[in-house]
C-alpha cells in the first residue's frame, strides 16, 4: 500500500517555523525507531535543532491527510550543512519518514520531488546524498530511483572506516 492507495494526496512543501516541532518529532522518531541512533547520541542534538538547520538550508515537510509524515533538508555546495555536494550538485540530508507512515511511499515521493526540483535549478546537474553503510532500505530506494554509489567519495566522521556512503543521481 502507498500513500496514493490510502486516498489521501501527499503534499510536499517548503517548511515554515510553525512546522519545526513536527519536523523535529518525525526526524528523531525515524532515526531512533530504525535503530540508527540510540538515546543520548550526540547526533540527536543536530537532528533536533531544526531552527538552526532552517537558517542555513531549505527544509521541506510532507503532509498526508493534514498530518506531517516526512521531512528533508536540501543544501548546496559551500553551505554549513553540506557534507558531500560538489559544484553542480544539490544535496539532501536527514530524509525522515514518520515511523507510522513508513512503507507507504512517502520517502520515494520526497526524493522524486527533490529530483524534479533539482532539474529546475540553473547550474545543477546532479543530486548527492550520504547514507550510512547500514541503511540498506535507503540504498534500495535510492538505487530504484537512479542513484549510483560513488565509493571514491565515501567518508567517515572520525577517520575510521568509511561507513558513510555517497550516492549520486545525474539529472
Amino acid at each position: 500500500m502507498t500513500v496514493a492507495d490510502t486516498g489521501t494526496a501527499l503534499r510536499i512543501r517548503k517548511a515554515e517555523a510553525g512546522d519545526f516541532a513536527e519536523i523535529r518529532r518525525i526526524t528523531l522518531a525515524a532515526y531512533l525507531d530504525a535503530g540508527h541512533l540510540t538515546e543520548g547520541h550526540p547526533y540527536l542534538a543536530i537532528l533536533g535543532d531544526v531552527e538552526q538547520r532552517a537558517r542555513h538550508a531549505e527544509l521541506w515537510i510532507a503532509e498526508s491527510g493534514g498530518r506531517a509524515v516526512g521531512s528533508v533538508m536540501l543544501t548546496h555546495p559551500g553551505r554549513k550543512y553540506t557534507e558531500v555536494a560538489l559544484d553542480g550538485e544539490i544535496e539532501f540530508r536527514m530524509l525522515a519518514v514518520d515511523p507510522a507512515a513508513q512503507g507507504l511511499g512517502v520517502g520515494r515521493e520526497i526524493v522524486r520531488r527533490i529530483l524534479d526540483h533539482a532539474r529546475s535549478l540553473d547550474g545543477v546537474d546532479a543530486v548527492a546524498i550520504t547514507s550510512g553503510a547500514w541503511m540498506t532500505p535507503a540504498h534500495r530506494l535510492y538505487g530504484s530511483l537512479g542513484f549510483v554509489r560513488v565509493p571514491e567519495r565515501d567518508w567517515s566522521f572520525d577517520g575510521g572506516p568509511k561507513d558513510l556512503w555517497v550516492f549520486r543521481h545525474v539529472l
Side-chain angles (χ1 to χ4, degrees):
M1 180 182 291
T2 65
V3 171
D5 296 332
T6 66
T8 50
L10 186 66
R11 179 178 180 227
I12 302 169
R13 61 175 174 79
K14 186 173 179 179
E16 301 170 354
D19 300 315
F20 293 172
E22 280 297 283
I23 291 173
R24 183 176 6 270
R25 178 191 66 76
I26 290 166
T27 306
L28 295 175
Y31 276 73
L32 288 166
D33 189 71
H36 299 318
L37 301 171
T38 56
E39 289 291 342
H41 192 285
Y43 192 56
L44 290 174
I46 294 167
L47 292 172
D49 194 351
V50 179
E51 293 78 8
Q52 174 72 2
R53 288 192 277 140
R55 284 193 284 279
H56 298 280
E58 188 171 322
L59 302 181
W60 290 1
I61 190 164
E63 300 167 318
S64 179
R67 186 172 161 268
V69 293
S71 68
V72 70
M73 177 179 74
L74 284 79
T75 185
H76 297 267
R79 292 193 181 165
K80 178 176 180 158
Y81 284 93
T82 302
E83 293 176 331
V84 298
L86 303 174
D87 287 340
E89 295 178 341
I90 187 173
E91 177 178 344
F92 70 92
R93 293 189 51 204
M94 302 176 191
L95 173 62
V97 176
D98 187 323
Q102 289 179 5
L104 299 177
V106 174
R108 176 175 299 280
E109 287 307 311
I110 292 172
V111 176
R112 282 183 179 152
R113 188 71 55 87
I114 291 166
L115 293 171
D116 289 345
H117 174 69
R119 287 182 188 100
S120 76
L121 300 174
D122 289 336
V124 173
D125 59 15
V127 177
I129 177 72
T130 295
S131 184
W134 58 93
M135 296 178 168
T136 52
H139 304 164
R140 284 192 300 273
L141 169 66
Y142 302 143
S144 75
L145 291 171
F147 283 79
V148 176
R149 186 159 167 238
V150 188
E152 63 272 18
R153 289 173 63 181
D154 293 351
W155 59 287
S156 73
F157 275 113
D158 59 7
K162 293 183 177 183
D163 60 354
L164 297 171
W165 294 356
V166 176
F167 293 82
R168 186 171 190 260
H169 186 291
V170 177
L171 302 171

